[in-house]
Amino acid sequence: MKVDQTVLPTLESIERALPSHLDAIRALAASGEWEAVRNRIEVQVQPLESLSSELVKDVAREVEEQRAQAALNISRAERRIFLACQLRDSSRS
């Protein structure tokens, strides 16, 4: 399967960034800094969530396109085999 080469590095970057954001959010929440918690979620965590969601959608769309192409190729191959068998059988008669 051919997927955009930026997907894996982007997901790895998100994976590395998320734990530190979550630790900071926990620390802010523990100190009662609820406005800072909301701000950090809105400014830093939600964009990461949106980006990862878009990447997953892109990969799913690509997989579906390739699956459809594979099904079409299989159908074509089945028709060719069927026709070849019919031609072989008719040439024996």
Side-chain angles (χ1 to χ4, degrees):
M1 186 177 107
K2 195 175 189 180
V3 178
D4 183 351
Q5 297 298 316
T6 63
V7 171
L8 187 57
T10 303
L11 287 174
E12 289 171 345
S13 175
I14 292 168
E15 185 179 30
R16 283 190 304 272
L18 201 51
S20 64
H21 290 305
L22 295 176
D23 288 343
I25 289 169
R26 282 188 201 104
L28 291 168
S31 65
E33 300 286 336
W34 298 111
E35 185 60 35
V37 169
R38 278 190 288 280
N39 184 53
R40 183 126 188 168
I41 290 171
E42 288 174 7
V43 172
Q44 295 176 341
V45 175
Q46 285 179 345
L48 293 175
E49 180 184 30
S50 295
L51 178 58
S52 63
S53 177
E54 284 303 311
L55 290 172
V56 168
K57 287 178 187 175
D58 290 346
V59 170
R61 186 173 32 256
E62 180 68 25
V63 167
E64 185 54 39
E65 288 171 6
Q66 290 186 14
R67 183 180 300 157
Q69 184 62 49
L72 181 62
N73 292 345
I74 290 169
S75 177
R76 287 178 182 157
E78 287 173 338
R79 277 186 262 139
R80 287 182 188 143
I81 292 169
F82 178 75
L83 290 173
C85 289
Q86 281 188 329
L87 288 173
R88 184 193 65 185
D89 289 345
S90 67
S91 68
R92 289 183 177 176
S93 305

